[in-house]
Amino acid sequence: MFRKVVVAAAGVFQPRRLPIWNKIASRTVSTSFYTVNSMILRSLKDHYLDVSKMTPPLKISPPSPYTVVKGALDSGGPILRSTFKNEEITISAMRLVDIIPEGSGLGNDEGDFNQLFVHVDISKEGMENSLHFLCGLYPDALGIHSVSLRKKSESAGFIDAPKDYSGPVFEEIDEKVRDALHSFIEERGINESLFPFLQAWLYVKDHRNLMRWFKTLGTFVKESDEAASQL
């Protein structure tokens, strides 16, 4: 009879003991979780405020006849658009420092911020190919790196590579042809006058993306806190 009582008592009290330890362990993990998250949120907030205080560049309009592509700040596509006779011209750009990996030894000097890669796409209605120029743009000069023909579907994004033969190395082309190609894009307003606008535009885009990143990451961490508190 006594044995039955002991067994019964063990059966009554043992299940009550486990949840207590579980609660203690859970409380310890939760405390650590909230501490880490609060540190992340505090750091994100500080950096967000610092970035928000950065002085934006003066508002610059693109040189005529180019206009800004609607929604360009929120996409990775063309920035500027123009027409020349029966041609449609679009321009995309990115900084050299955003292309060369840090520590590669190929750049990352202060002057690299004044070097832009510009992708110029010239298309004509009814033609399946477009003429694509990859150029280096500086405050006082513009140089052509390559010229190729691409399918129009390939020219929508400036990082796409042509699938077919892309032509000879530009520096190996006859000098007269190179000069003619420079005159060709110059006639369409593609020159160093684009630099001030594209430099300022890329700054605004980077600043906007950084602000969005801090805000999005902070929202995610905060929602993780709220979800954990309901467990």
Side-chain angles (χ1 to χ4, degrees), residues 79-90:
I79 301 170
L80 297 174
R81 175 178 285 119
S82 177
T83 57
F84 180 83
K85 298 179 181 179
N86 64 334
E87 301 170 354
E88 181 179 14
I89 305 170
T90 57

Side-chain angles (χ1 to χ4, degrees), residues 28 36 41 92 99 124 159 169 176 184 186 203 209:
T28 302
V36 172
L41 288 172
S92 305
I99 301 173
K124 295 183 179 182
I159 61 172
V169 176
K176 291 183 179 179
F184 180 85
E186 178 74 27
Y203 176 94
N209 286 339

Side-chain angles (χ1 to χ4, degrees), residues 182-211:
H182 275 286
S183 298
F184 180 85
I185 60 174
E186 178 74 27
E187 187 179 19
R188 287 153 179 78
I190 302 163
N191 52 48
E192 63 271 16
S193 67
L194 293 168
F195 185 88
F197 170 79
L198 291 175
Q199 178 78 313
W201 189 92
L202 287 171
Y203 176 94
V204 172
K205 183 178 177 67
D206 289 346
H207 183 270
R208 183 167 176 164
N209 286 339
L210 187 57
M211 294 283 287

Side-chain angles (χ1 to χ4, degrees), residues 116-178:
L116 306 181
F117 271 131
V118 176
H119 297 253
V120 181
D121 190 78
I122 303 174
S123 62
K124 295 183 179 182
E125 187 175 354
M127 298 187 68
E128 64 175 8
N129 290 327
S130 63
L131 188 58
H132 188 88
F133 289 82
L134 172 60
C135 304
L137 179 62
Y138 307 87
D140 57 354
L142 180 141
I144 299 175
H145 289 302
S146 66
V147 182
S148 61
L149 285 171
R150 302 188 179 189
K151 297 290 185 183
K152 286 185 179 179
S153 60
E154 292 180 340
S155 61
F158 57 79
I159 61 172
D160 290 335
K163 296 181 176 61
D164 301 323
Y165 175 65
S166 58
V169 176
F170 188 75
E171 291 302 320
E172 296 178 357
I173 300 175
D174 181 81
E175 185 178 357
K176 291 183 179 179
V177 177
R178 296 202 307 267

